[in-house]
Amino acid sequence: MAARRGTNLVPSLLRAADLSLQRAAFSRSILSGISNEGAAHLRPAAPVRTLWNGWKSGFSSSSAAQQGEKEDGKTETPPADDGTGEGASPDEETEQKYTTEELQAALNACVENLEAEKKKSDELKDKLMRTLADMENLRERTARQTQEAKQFAVQGFLKSLVDVADNLERAAGSVVLEDVDGSNEIELERAVKLLKSLRDGVILTDNILMKILEKEGVTRYDPMGDKFDPNLHMALFQVPDATKDPGHVAVVVKKGYLLHDRPVRAAEVGVATASSQAED
């Protein structure tokens, strides 16, 4: 009975070992990037199955032989072994080669390997879950930072422009409303002083604004006297001017702006022509 119980127990343990090792191999392949076929070396070694199959065959043959002897009431004498091993049957050779203790030892080793692989599988699963959680947190954090970068990308530039707005407000406040709406008479000397103060404030504000734009790579250019260039100039009209060569800029209506040598806004100009062309 004990032998039969062992017969039924060993295949179950081997199947459980196969299943656990396959799971461990699958977890390893996910983290290390190897293919599922590369995990085949984790399967139980062939000698363990050979030991089990040999022991099972020997047990079955021995049991059948003993049952037949009981029924016939006869006992056959096994052939004598002449030292070459030819006189022994295959079942007897199996029983002589693999004993129950050896099979039990091999089974214990298989169980130990199974427990070790199961422990490794649990560790790999834990690492995998932690890695997935970290990747999800990274994805959410990156999406949040990208959204914030889009919303506040011009924060530094706008902070610089606030100084320009403050200077414009001070320039407008330097002139009293009663002095310009006609309700009060203003002396010429006082009026000139106010205009000079207002002009100085506007020039200072313009200089501050251009410094801010230059930090961002924006420069302003005055094309007066330059040869007309359709990439940098936009001709609004032609004007006869003897002091300028034909095809050159004679009048600048609006100055142009460049962003890292690329025109942001072309200068609006008037182009000089010869006097004879103007008369025609």
Side-chain angles (χ1 to χ4, degrees):
M1 293 297 292
R4 292 184 179 178
R5 290 179 181 176
T7 305
N8 297 329
L9 178 60
V10 173
S12 301
L13 291 176
L14 289 177
R15 286 194 296 269
D18 284 341
L19 182 58
S20 298
L21 289 176
Q22 290 175 5
R23 291 178 178 175
F26 180 73
S27 300
R28 283 187 176 180
S29 65
I30 292 177
L31 293 179
S32 61
I34 63 174
S35 62
N36 292 337
E37 289 80 359
H41 66 281
L42 295 176
R43 298 180 61 84
V48 176
R49 292 184 173 276
T50 304
L51 290 174
W52 160 243
N53 293 332
W55 179 77
K56 182 179 178 182
S57 300
F59 175 77
S60 301
S61 301
S62 177
S63 299
Q66 292 177 2
Q67 185 67 22
E69 290 175 358
K70 291 180 179 179
E71 292 178 357
D72 298 339
K74 299 179 181 179
T75 302
E76 296 181 359
T77 303
D81 189 1
D82 56 0
T84 61
E86 296 179 354
S89 64
D91 294 340
E92 292 175 349
E93 291 179 358
T94 302
E95 291 180 357
Q96 294 174 1
K97 187 175 182 180
Y98 305 116
T99 63
T100 304
E101 289 76 9
E102 292 175 344
L103 290 173
Q104 186 64 36
L107 181 60
N108 293 337
C110 181
V111 172
E112 292 178 359
N113 293 334
L114 175 62
E115 293 297 333
E117 293 298 335
K118 185 177 183 301
K119 183 178 179 180
K120 292 180 181 179
S121 177
D122 293 339
E123 293 177 355
L124 293 176
K125 181 179 179 181
D126 182 69
K127 291 181 180 180
L128 176 61
M129 298 304 295
R130 291 178 182 273
T131 302
L132 292 177
D134 292 340
M135 292 300 297
E136 182 64 20
N137 294 335
L138 177 62
R139 186 189 66 80
E140 294 178 357
R141 184 167 59 254
T142 303
R144 184 170 59 253
Q145 292 176 352
T146 302
Q147 184 65 22
E148 291 177 356
K150 290 181 180 179
Q151 293 179 351
F152 304 104
V154 296
Q155 182 177 358
F157 179 69
L158 294 178
K159 185 177 180 180
S160 301
L161 288 180
V162 171
D163 295 335
V164 177
D166 293 339
N167 290 331
L168 291 175
E169 185 178 3
R170 282 194 290 268
S174 64
V175 179
V176 183
L177 181 60
E178 288 76 8
D179 294 339
V180 294
D181 62 358
S183 58
N184 293 335
E185 294 183 1
I186 182 172
E187 297 178 357
L188 178 60
E189 182 180 357
R190 185 165 178 269
V192 172
K193 184 178 180 181
L194 288 175
L195 288 175
K196 184 177 182 301
S197 176
L198 180 61
R199 181 178 182 277
D200 293 341
V202 171
I203 293 175
L204 178 62
T205 303
D206 180 71
N207 292 334
I208 293 175
L209 178 60
M210 290 310 303
K211 289 181 179 179
I212 294 173
L213 293 178
E214 286 176 359
K215 289 181 180 179
E216 302 298 330
V218 179
T219 56
R220 181 170 59 187
Y221 64 94
D222 186 357
M224 175 62 73
D226 296 342
K227 185 177 181 180
F228 179 77
D229 185 351
N231 296 321
L232 300 175
H233 309 143
M234 183 173 65
L236 300 180
F237 53 86
Q238 292 181 335
V239 56
D241 191 344
T243 61
K244 299 288 189 304
D245 295 333
H248 286 66
V249 176
V251 180
V252 177
V253 179
K254 291 182 180 180
K255 295 180 180 180
Y257 291 86
L258 298 174
L259 175 62
H260 301 297
D261 299 331
R262 176 181 293 181
V264 176
R265 190 192 70 184
E268 298 180 2
V269 300
V271 182
T273 59
S275 300
S276 60
Q277 293 180 357
E279 293 176 358
D280 294 339

